[in-house]
Amino acid sequence: MNIDLAALPDDVGTLQRMVRTLAAERVNLTAAQAEIERLRLIVQKLQRSQFGRRAERLDYDQLQLGFDDLNADIARVEATLPPSAAKAPRVPAGRPSLPAHLPREDMRLELDHQACPCCGGELHMIGETVSEMLDYVPARLRVIRICRPRYGCRACGSIHQAPAPERPIAKGLASPGLLAHVLIAKYCDHLPLYRQSQIFSRHGVEIDRSTLANWVGGACWWLEPLQARLAAHVFGSTKLFADDTPIPVLDPGRGRTKTGRLWVYARDDRPWSGPEPPAAVYFYSPDRRSERPAAHLREFRGVLQVDGYAGFERLTAPGGIVLAACWAHARRKFYDLHEATGSLIAAEALRRIAELYAIEGSIRGRSAEARRHARYTSARPLIEMMKPWLEMELGRVPPAGPLAEAIRYALARWPALTRFLDDGRIELDNNPVERAIRPIALGRKNHLFAGSDGGGVRWATICSLIATAKLNNVEPYAWLSDVLQRMTDGHPASRLDELLPWNWRP
């Protein structure tokens, strides 16, 4: 409530109403500020849970959903406050408030008078105040009309016309840009085709979901050679991460879904400053038999960092592949046990493993040789003390209990768990490929299942391209639409490497 102190009313009743209004506003302001403080404390508690002992109980995506709702609650309460009481969002000093590459559209607000209202003198410009707001222009569909004039020759009667351009989908309506949008929406933003069909309908364009499915299949035909080049790059490394994740696949013959697998192989040399770009490649299989990774890795020779899946163990028989194990999986068994029972032995195991991770954090990004040397001086003594301690505790705990199982899990993989000591390229865990798998889990929730084994293969093809683009900080839609356009225009198959995300230039 704004009050002009120089012109207060003389009427007692009016003054009493003003006082009551001010008191009510003060009470409301106090209540709103208390509610904001309560919500902010909840946000801080959730943020601490990311790094505290209960961090692993919360799924990351679910945690972010909670933050979204709490921040929206805070904004709703702040909207009820007078402008003077609301806190302005902090903008980092020395940085533009919005990215410089975004187009700017000026909105100029002029005075409605050119004379000074105080003295009547003429006004002249002495500067301006500029502020910015972020606007959104909704996506729009457009029709590209391809006009090809025909020319006739009066001398011989022949007719000449420019050839029709190649279309990514034969006789189809979709441009490369629209195909890229459908693929990114389905496989990157996890928007099923039936929802995309509904969105197009709201724009006044009826595109049946079966038509969208045909577009996806046709686009994948163009992109399969690019996935093959990605695979050649990934398997050309001598150090890989590998993992697999289940995807449900419709099985019409039995009237239910079956469980297929997506196998993921990732190459990421950045932790040891390797020169090659990161990449991830996915493959689909209808089962989890060990023959599947054996077929994928038949040309690979080097270190393969994996979880505890026994099928990977068989890859070492020919002698060309050496396994490195994952300390995160070994730690998880002790963590679950400690959370359930408060075991002091499990707590001690967690403390010892945390010391290894602290060393890794201090050498991340250094050369492989520098990492190997630092591990030799810092991590090796910890490892040499940890194994006899685990063996001693194994003899003191019930042999059939969960603690003995956690210890045996680590000891059975001890050579693979300690291989990082002698090779600076090896990471402590398999987390790079775990991060590559995370979007698949979100896709499973939205897609529910793949419609066929072919759908699983397409899922693997597009996920390979999108994941690799993200790893190289390339915007997936811009890259994919340009790649589809170039391929449609006849980009030579011998120069496919130019289209890989790390080589791509718009």
Side-chain angles (χ1 to χ4, degrees), residues 156-180:
C156 65
S158 60
I159 297 176
H160 302 271
Q161 186 178 33
E166 184 75 25
R167 298 193 180 207
I169 306 297
K171 300 182 180 179
L173 294 176
S175 70
L178 181 54
L179 288 180

Side-chain angles (χ1 to χ4, degrees), residues 259-442:
T259 301
R261 311 296 297 193
L262 276 182
W263 303 84
V264 190
Y265 304 94
R267 175 179 188 171
D268 193 349
D269 301 343
R270 292 174 296 180
W272 53 274
S273 297
E276 297 299 324
V281 64
Y282 296 70
F283 295 99
Y284 168 79
S285 70
D287 53 53
R288 205 192 187 194
R289 291 184 296 174
S290 60
E291 291 86 349
R292 306 302 183 180
H296 303 152
L297 296 162
R298 60 183 177 272
E299 302 295 333
F300 173 71
R301 299 292 181 271
V303 178
L304 186 69
Q305 191 146 17
V306 297
D307 58 11
Y309 171 52
F312 289 124
E313 299 285 346
R314 302 181 185 179
L315 300 176
T316 62
I321 294 178
V322 177
L323 295 186
C326 174
W327 275 98
H329 282 78
R331 177 188 178 277
R332 192 171 301 156
K333 293 184 177 296
F334 290 109
Y335 178 86
D336 292 340
L337 181 63
H338 180 260
E339 288 295 295
T341 66
S343 166
L344 296 179
I345 297 176
E348 176 62 15
L350 292 175
R351 185 192 67 79
R352 291 171 181 254
I353 296 173
E355 290 180 338
L356 296 178
Y357 272 94
I359 295 170
E360 289 301 300
S362 67
I363 61 176
R364 186 168 302 279
R366 295 166 64 179
S367 70
E369 180 57 28
R371 282 157 58 98
R372 189 196 64 78
H373 179 73
R375 288 167 175 173
Y376 184 84
T377 57
S378 301
R380 186 176 291 275
L382 300 178
I383 290 291
E384 289 175 348
M385 290 188 293
M386 189 184 301
K387 185 179 182 183
W389 174 77
L390 287 173
E391 291 172 336
M392 179 186 68
E393 296 298 340
L394 181 60
R396 297 170 53 187
V397 301
L403 184 54
E405 179 186 348
I407 295 175
R408 281 196 294 268
Y409 179 93
L411 291 176
R413 294 164 177 78
W414 200 253
L417 281 172
T418 58
R419 189 153 281 128
F420 76 99
L421 294 174
D422 300 314
D423 190 337
R425 301 170 305 160
I426 300 177
E427 285 289 276
L428 210 57
D429 53 41
N430 210 29
N431 284 350
V433 77
E434 296 276 353
R435 288 190 292 270
I437 280 179
R438 185 179 295 157
I440 304 297
L442 182 57

Side-chain angles (χ1 to χ4, degrees), residues 2 87 138 142 145 178 187 189 210 283 330-331 357 392 441 495:
N2 296 322
K87 293 184 178 179
R142 64 176 182 176
R145 298 180 66 229
L178 181 54
Y187 295 104
D189 300 327
S210 63
F283 295 99
R331 177 188 178 277
Y357 272 94
M392 179 186 68
R495 291 165 47 199

Side-chain angles (χ1 to χ4, degrees), residues 433-490:
V433 77
E434 296 276 353
R435 288 190 292 270
I437 280 179
R438 185 179 295 157
I440 304 297
L442 182 57
R444 280 199 303 262
K445 295 176 184 178
N446 287 354
H447 300 171
L448 301 181
F449 50 80
S452 64
D453 287 335
V457 172
R458 287 189 290 275
W459 204 338
T461 298
I462 303 303
C463 283
S464 300
L465 305 180
I466 291 174
T468 302
K470 289 181 177 179
L471 284 172
N472 289 274
N473 297 317
V474 172
E475 202 285 306
Y477 169 77
W479 172 68
L480 199 56
S481 61
D482 188 57
V483 164
L484 284 170
Q485 182 67 64
R486 294 191 194 190
M487 285 184 157
T488 304
D489 292 342

Side-chain angles (χ1 to χ4, degrees), residues 144-221:
I144 299 176
R145 298 180 66 229
I146 302 171
C147 302
R148 298 185 296 133
R150 289 195 300 270
Y151 298 92
C153 176
R154 291 190 177 91
C156 65
S158 60
I159 297 176
H160 302 271
Q161 186 178 33
E166 184 75 25
R167 298 193 180 207
I169 306 297
K171 300 182 180 179
L173 294 176
S175 70
L178 181 54
L179 288 180
H181 168 75
V182 172
L183 293 175
I184 294 298
K186 177 175 172 62
Y187 295 104
C188 183
D189 300 327
H190 314 295
L191 197 63
L193 294 182
Y194 79 90
R195 294 184 189 170
Q196 295 191 52
S197 178
Q198 293 170 351
I199 293 172
F200 287 131
S201 180
R202 293 202 301 268
H203 284 274
V205 180
E206 299 294 336
I207 305 177
D208 191 77
R209 58 194 297 182
S210 63
T211 301
L212 294 176
N214 290 336
W215 291 356
V216 170
C220 285
W221 179 83

